[in-house]
Structures are given as C-alpha cells and as structure tokens.
Amino acid sequence: MISLGGAIGTSLFLSSGIALGYAGPGVMVSYAIAGFIAVAMVFSLSEMAVVHPAAGSFGTYAEIYLSPWAGFMVRYTYWFAQVIATGFEAVAASIYMTYWIPAAPVWLWSLGFAAIVIWVNSRSVASFGTIEYWFALIKVSAIVLFVILGAVHIFGLGVPATGFHNLYALPGGFFPHGAHGVWMAVILGMLSFVGIEVIAVTSGEVPNPEKTIPAALRGMAVRLFLFYVLALGVVAAMFPWTETAGSVAVAESPFVKVLSLTGIPDAPGVMNFVIITAALSGMNTNVYLCSRMLFSLARGRYAPAWLGRLSPAGAPVAAVLASGACILTAIVAAKFTPRAYAYLQGVALFGAIVVWGLILVSHLRFRRLRAASDLPVRMPLFPWIQLAGLCLLAALLITMGLDKDWNISWIVGVPWLVLVTAGYFIWKRAART
C-alpha cells in the first residue's frame, strides 16, 4: 500500500490531462511503455533488495557494485529529485484547492500542506505507515469506483451510453499526433510510475524483507499497470482529448472533468477531495524517501553526522527537517510563476531517470558478480529487459533536452550533476587530509 501510495498521485490525477493532450487516446500505449520501464527497474531492484536490505537501498547498491562516486551521485540526486517532487505535489494539491476557493494563493496552501507532512514524518515510522496506508486505501478505492462508474456510462448500463466514440472518431483517430505524440506522453507516464521504488527503501525497516519486498514489488507493478491503463481508458473514452490544452500547462484534473459529465451530484467535489489526499500521500511518501536518503548519506559519512541521528521514536528527525527546509524552498517557486508545477515535475523527472538508469546498471554489475542460482529472487529475460529499459531511459532524456517544454529539466539537471560530482571529489580530498 505504501508503494501504491507513492506512485498513485498527481501524475495520474493531474498530469494525465497533459498526456492526453499529447497523445489523445493513444495515451494508453504511452503508459504501457512507461510501465515496461518501471517493471524492468522494479524487478532488478527486487533482486538486490533481497540480498542487501538497507535504508540507502539503490544508493548503497550503486556504491557496492559501481563505485563510491556512483553511490554518492545516486543518493544525492534521488534526494534532490524527491525534494522537487514533493514541491510539485504540494503545488498540485493547492491547485485542487482552487476548485473550492479560487481566490486562495497557491503558494500559501503549498506551504501549509508541506508543514503537515513534515510533522508526520518527524514522528515514528509507524505513524508514517499508518497514515500512508489510509491515504493509499482512499486512492485505490476511488480509482476502482471511478473505473466502475465510467464503465456504467460507457456501456450505458441504466444510463445513456457514452460509447467509444472519443477513442477513434475524433480528428486523427486513436493516434491523433502519431508516434511523436505517443512518445511525448511516455514522459508523463514515466513521471507517474516514479515512486514505486519506495518499497525497496523500506527494506531496512520491515521484517522478512526476502519475502515481503519481492511480493510487494511484483504485485504493485501489476496493480499499477491495471489502475493506470483502465483509469486512463475511461478518461479517454468519456472526455474528448481535443478539449485538453496539449501543453505543460494544467489547471484542472481530467478526472474531475469526467465526473462532472456524469451528472451525479457532488461527484466532482468528492473526486477533488480524493485527489487532494492523493497529493498529500505523494508528499508524505516523498518526505519519507528524502529523509532516508539523507540519513543514509550521513551514515555513509557523505553528509554531516547530525543528519544520521535518530529520535527516541526511531525517526531521522534531523534529516526530515533538513529535507523539509529544501522542500519549502522549492515550493516558493509557485509564488513566482504559474508554470511552477510543470517546471518542478520536469526537474524531478530528470533526476528520477538518472537514478533509474543507475539502478539498472548496478543490477547488471550485481548479476556479473553473483550466480543466478544463488539468488532467492530472479527476474526473467535477463539482461535484455534491463538493456531495453536503459535504451528507453536514454531516449527519454534526449527527448526532454530537445523539447522546449521540457528542457528546463536539463537546464537545472545537468548543472546539478556537475555540482554533485564536484562535491564528491571535494569531500574525497577533505577525507584524505
């Protein structure tokens, strides 16, 4: 449930509107491609998490199987990406609040929501787990009910049938913008699946990780694929893609728009509430991830030692508060530009793609050094799935760098990688003296 909670957030409920504008009904193919990359990464991570259950997770694996620089890079880049991701989740939750209070400033809501999740994560891990479980349950239940309600209207079960007209009869048919549109929507699909790796980060805090982690990762990957494809199928069938903006600007969830078409009293308001809980859930999970990565860096002597201390309740409060301060800084961007959500998600995705790529490379090295017969969990079709995943990730990075709506990811991401690399060598020299 924690992993589902991390991956079902604003990227499904809000960013899917951008993806629909890019690809039209072909958005379902886009999310299937993104799902394939996620499965390749998550199965690779599963093998390593069983052998090395640790709070640093894939940062630790990169350090062991690639180099200390890679471990440093992965942990700091993932921390940075999750800080930014928490910022855009907060901005998204605040955008949803304008459904009820249009005049309220987005940045003010964002700061309030961020303060709440920082407080939750400063308590015990049990508090985080309990709250995240209920957040996730609300989201999953809402998606199931949304799909059922959509099917009722699409097939005309007691109401006038919407049918599948919007999937094929609008200008351009199922692929109105061709392969280019489908590929651009994969970017949003990738952003949607970021967060599923959280279950590997929890491997150092759960009992019997050799059983629970692989089962959670495999089951979650299948459920996410079904949730995303079915939910987006309903959206594409009931809501004409021609009415989306088709750019990185977004102001309202397509899920709310779809429910407004059903005529059910208060249904859009109820869905808007669900979407706000989804954004808060995503923020909650991201703060957990940020704090554990910073904690892992401190324990590995890559960050100040005080960030590696635990409270009496067992929570890395110092790492939570330090991450929270950076999250609040990211949120301030919402005060200066209405495109803050798009900018933040582009930068976060750049970092996530870099990390996913290094996870796959770490796994290739991991397999070279370990006999497959000795592994408790093995993924099929090794190494072809990993290599295909790496090629797709590289292609996505190149696409983002060349596209004017997404090149902010490179403008911020590349200097960040240079800065982290410089920081590593400065740290290494200081450690020798």
Side-chain angles (χ1 to χ4, degrees):
M1 292 298 286
I2 288 172
S3 196
L4 283 173
I8 299 177
T10 58
S11 299
L12 172 62
F13 290 117
L14 190 62
S15 300
S16 55
I18 305 173
L20 190 62
Y22 276 134
V27 70
M28 290 181 281
V29 176
S30 304
Y31 275 70
I33 295 172
F36 168 80
I37 301 173
V39 167
M41 185 280 300
V42 94
F43 274 54
S44 299
L45 195 53
S46 176
E47 285 191 14
M48 294 187 290
V50 169
V51 176
H52 302 289
S57 186
F58 36 87
T60 302
Y61 312 152
E63 182 174 356
I64 294 172
Y65 293 104
L66 297 179
S67 69
W69 168 83
F72 187 91
M73 171 69 74
V74 165
R75 280 179 278 202
Y76 266 114
T77 299
Y78 193 75
W79 172 82
F80 177 69
Q82 292 304 319
V83 164
I84 299 298
T86 308
F88 79 70
E89 292 277 7
V91 172
S94 304
I95 291 173
Y96 303 146
M97 290 300 296
T98 62
Y99 178 85
W100 291 302
I101 312 173
V106 169
W107 66 270
L108 189 59
W109 281 113
S110 301
L111 292 176
F113 288 141
I116 292 171
V117 298
I118 290 169
W119 176 80
V120 168
N121 277 270
S122 66
R123 297 169 64 83
S124 70
V125 70
S127 298
F128 161 79
T130 300
I131 291 173
E132 190 55 35
Y133 172 84
W134 288 107
F135 272 155
L137 185 61
I138 291 171
K139 290 187 288 187
V140 170
S141 301
I143 291 175
V144 172
L145 291 174
F146 177 83
V147 170
I148 293 172
L149 183 60
V152 167
H153 282 265
I154 291 170
F155 293 103
L157 304 177
V159 296
T162 302
F164 296 95
H165 176 272
N166 290 331
L167 293 180
Y168 63 86
L170 294 177
F174 192 80
F175 298 108
H177 297 143
H180 177 263
V182 171
W183 179 246
M184 291 303 297
V186 175
I187 296 174
L188 279 306
M190 265 294 299
L191 191 66
S192 299
F193 286 103
V194 170
I196 62 176
E197 65 282 344
V198 63
I199 199 67
V201 180
T202 68
S203 62
E205 299 183 77
V206 297
N208 302 317
E210 69 281 356
K211 296 181 180 179
T212 56
I213 298 301
L217 285 169
R218 287 194 296 266
M220 172 273 309
V222 173
R223 292 184 187 97
L224 275 180
F225 180 80
L226 291 175
F227 285 156
Y228 273 93
V229 172
L230 290 175
L232 288 170
V234 169
V235 171
M238 294 189 64
F239 183 70
W241 71 265
T242 50
E243 296 183 20
T244 60
S247 70
V248 294
V250 62
E252 184 181 6
S253 168
F255 285 75
V256 174
K257 290 182 179 180
V258 166
L259 284 180
S260 67
L261 299 176
T262 65
I264 299 175
D266 299 324
V270 172
M271 178 54 78
N272 202 61
F273 167 76
V274 169
I275 294 171
I276 289 173
T277 65
L280 292 175
S281 170
M283 292 175 64
N284 194 38
T285 300
N286 290 340
V287 172
Y288 176 91
L289 288 166
C290 287
S291 60
R292 268 55 184 182
M293 280 297 161
L294 205 52
F295 173 83
S296 174
L297 282 161
R299 287 298 176 95
R301 299 182 180 179
Y302 297 129
W306 57 271
L307 292 171
R309 295 172 186 162
L310 295 173
S311 71
V317 175
V320 169
L321 294 178
S323 299
C326 296
I327 289 166
L328 294 176
T329 302
I331 288 171
V332 171
K335 183 174 173 60
F336 299 102
T337 172
R339 298 186 69 191
Y341 178 80
Y343 290 154
L344 291 173
Q345 71 175 182
V347 174
L349 183 56
F350 179 93
I353 289 176
V354 169
V355 170
W356 279 28
L358 286 172
I359 288 172
L360 291 174
V361 173
S362 299
H363 182 246
L364 290 172
R365 179 65 175 165
F366 167 83
R367 274 294 196 97
R368 272 191 167 191
L369 299 177
R370 292 182 176 271
S373 58
D374 296 336
L375 299 177
V377 178
R378 285 176 291 175
M379 76 170 296
L381 301 178
F382 175 86
W384 305 111
I385 290 180
Q386 284 82 0
L387 295 174
L390 282 169
C391 289
L392 288 169
L393 289 173
L396 284 171
L397 277 181
I398 293 171
T399 301
M400 292 168 66
L402 297 176
D403 186 85
K404 62 181 179 63
D405 288 331
W406 292 98
N407 61 9
I408 184 67
S409 61
W410 279 70
I411 293 172
V412 176
V414 172
W416 167 260
L417 296 181
V418 173
L419 179 65
V420 172
T421 299
Y424 170 75
F425 286 105
I426 291 172
W427 167 87
K428 188 176 181 180
R429 177 177 293 180
R432 288 176 177 172
T433 60

